[in-house]
Amino acid sequence: MKFKSFLLAAAMMAAPCSFAQQISPLTKAVLRGYDEILKENPKDYATLYQRATQYYKLSMYDNALIDISKALDCTPDKEKDMRIDEFSMLADIYIQTKDYDKAMNAVDKALELSPRDYALLYKKGNIALYLKKPEEAYNSFAAMQRIKSRSQEAFFGMARADIMMNRKEDARNLITEAQNVDPSNYLTYCRVGELYEEMGEDENAATSYLSGFSLADGKSSRPLESLIFLANKNFNAVDNALKYAISRTSNTDPLYFLQASIAYNSGNYNQAYEGFKKLLESRDGQIGSVYATMALCSMNLNKFNEASTYADLAIIKDNTTENQIVKATVELAAGNAPAALLACTKALKVSPTSTEALTLAALANVALDDPQSAIKTLNEAIMTDPTDIYAKMIKAYVNLDIIKDSKEAVADYTRIANSTEPENFKEASYKALAQCLGGKKLDADATMEKALRDKADKTKDDYYYAAVYYAQSGNLEKAKSMIDNALTLGYQNLYNLYTNKTVNLNIAPIRHLLSKQ
C-alpha cells in the first residue's frame, strides 16, 4: 500500500449515525398515495405490504407491524410468494424491536412455505444466535451450506454457533474455510477479526483487521475503526500485531503512522507521542497531518510548548482550516486566548461555517472577557448545526455564569435536555448535565445512571465523561470513583485530568483528590 493511501485510510473516522429518519416530501407523497388506495380497499394486501415496507425503511416499526399483520390476514393462502415475503418482513420488524421469539415464529412460518430458501435460513440462523440457541443456529447455517457449498455466510454462521458452544477448534476450521472463499476482500478479514474477538483471541483479531486494512487500501474505514475499537479494549494486542508487521517489512513509515494513529485515537497518548516522534525522524513522515496530530497529542500530555510548535509546523506544511483549528485548540488549552482567536479568524476566513472554529472562537472570547462576541459566534455555530450539543452547553454557561441571564440559560439547558436521544455516552453525560444545571437533578441522575447501566463495555473515556457529570453535579465521591475506573483502564489524557477548565465540562471540583501521574 502506498504511503498516501495509508494516510488517507488512517485519517478516516466513522461518521456519527442518526437514529431519527427525516421523511422527504417524495416519501410523504408515496405514503399519501398508499393511504388513498387503502381508503378505497382496506384489504388490499399488496398495498398494505408496500406501505409496511416503507414504514420499515423509515424505522416506524409500530406502523409497519400493523400493516404487515393486516396484510397477512388478507392475503389468500394461494398467494404463496406474497405470504413468504410478508412473514419475512414480520420477522424483520420483530428483530428490530428485539422480540426474537416472535421473529423466530415468523421466519419458521415463512420456511414452512419455502424450506430451502437460502435468505430465510440465514435469517433464522441469526435469530437463533440472538436467542442463544447455538445448535438451532448451526443447523440453519449448515442447511445454507448444503444449498451453496462455498457459502461464506454459512461458514461464518456455523463458526459463530461453534464459538457459542465453546467448540473453538471447529470454529477455527470454519474460519479458514470462510477466508478461503474470498481471500482478497477486506470485509472477509473484518468478519474473521470479529470472530476471533468473540473467542477472546485479540491478537489474532488485530492481525485480521490489519490484513483487512491493507486490502481496503483507503476505500473503507471499517478495518481501521475495528482496530481502534479493539485498541480501546486491548491496546497491547493491536500494538503487538503492528510491531510484528513492522518487523516483516522494510517499508515501515506507513505502519509507524498507523501504529501512532491508532494509539492516539484509542487514547494511548504516551505511545502515540513516541510513535509520532519516530515517524518525524523520517522525511516522508514530516507532513502536515503528522505535525497536527502530534500537536494534539502533546497537548493531551500537558506539553503545551511542544504542542504550539508542532501546530505551527503543521500550518507551515499545510495551511488548512483543519490545521488552524488544531492551532486554536492547543493555544486555547495553553491559556493563550489571543493566539487561539487569531487562528480561529484565519480558519473562518476560509470556512465561515465551520462549527468547530466558531465554538473555539467563542471560548477564546470567553477567556478574553467578551461574552457578547461569544454568544454571537455560538448562535452562528448552532444555526449551522442545530444538533451541536457542545456549542449549546457553552452558550448556556455564558448566559448563566457570565451574562447572568438565568432565564435564557435555563431555556438553553431545557432545549438540550429535550433534544433527540444522545448518540453516544459523551452526549448522554452532556444531556444529564444540562438537566442538572437546568434545575432537574433527579432527571439528570436518572439519565446518567441509565447511560452507565445500558452500556455494558464502558471505555476509559466513558468513565471520564461520567466523572465530569458527577463532579459538576456535586457528587464528588461518585466522580472520584468514575475517574478511578478510567485510570484503571489506562486513561492518559493529562490535560483533561489536571488542566482542562472548559466551562462546566471538566473535573475541576475533584482535582484535589487526584494524585499526579
Side-chain angles (χ1 to χ4, degrees), residues 338-357:
L341 187 58
L342 178 60
C344 289
T345 302
K346 291 178 179 179
L348 290 166
K349 281 183 179 178
V350 179
S351 304
T353 59
S354 167
T355 54
E356 196 169 1

Side-chain angles (χ1 to χ4, degrees), residues 47 54 95 151 173 207 349 356 392 413 478 514 517:
T47 300
Q54 190 69 65
I95 290 170
S151 166
N173 292 333
T207 300
K349 281 183 179 178
E356 196 169 1
K392 291 177 182 177
Y413 285 129
K478 192 72 174 282
L514 304 181
Q517 288 192 7

Side-chain angles (χ1 to χ4, degrees), residues 152-184:
Q152 191 181 60
E153 297 294 348
F155 287 134
F156 277 130
M158 286 188 287
R160 186 156 274 121
D162 273 336
I163 292 167
M164 198 174 284
M165 290 185 284
N166 202 31
R167 301 194 307 218
K168 292 187 177 180
E169 197 55 43
D170 290 342
R172 288 189 190 91
N173 292 333
L174 288 164
I175 287 171
T176 300
E177 293 280 1
Q179 196 167 300
N180 290 338
V181 171
D182 195 0
S184 59

Side-chain angles (χ1 to χ4, degrees), residues 35 38-39 41-52 55 62-76 82-83 86-87 89-90 93-94:
D35 293 344
L38 289 167
K39 280 181 183 177
N41 182 8
K43 295 185 177 182
D44 185 338
Y45 54 85
T47 300
L48 284 165
Y49 173 76
Q50 290 168 349
R51 191 169 71 174
Y55 282 138
D62 289 343
N63 300 63
L65 180 59
I66 291 169
D67 275 359
I68 206 67
S69 299
K70 287 181 181 176
L72 280 163
D73 287 341
C74 299
T75 306
M82 175 60 78
R83 290 187 69 79
E86 289 167 350
F87 279 122
M89 168 66 70
L90 182 62
I93 294 167
Y94 283 132

Side-chain angles (χ1 to χ4, degrees), residues 118 122 140-146 148 150-159 174:
Y118 182 86
Y122 182 62
S140 188
F141 292 126
M144 288 171 58
Q145 199 261 333
R146 288 193 291 273
K148 293 184 181 179
R150 300 295 292 162
S151 166
Q152 191 181 60
E153 297 294 348
F155 287 134
F156 277 130
M158 286 188 287
L174 288 164

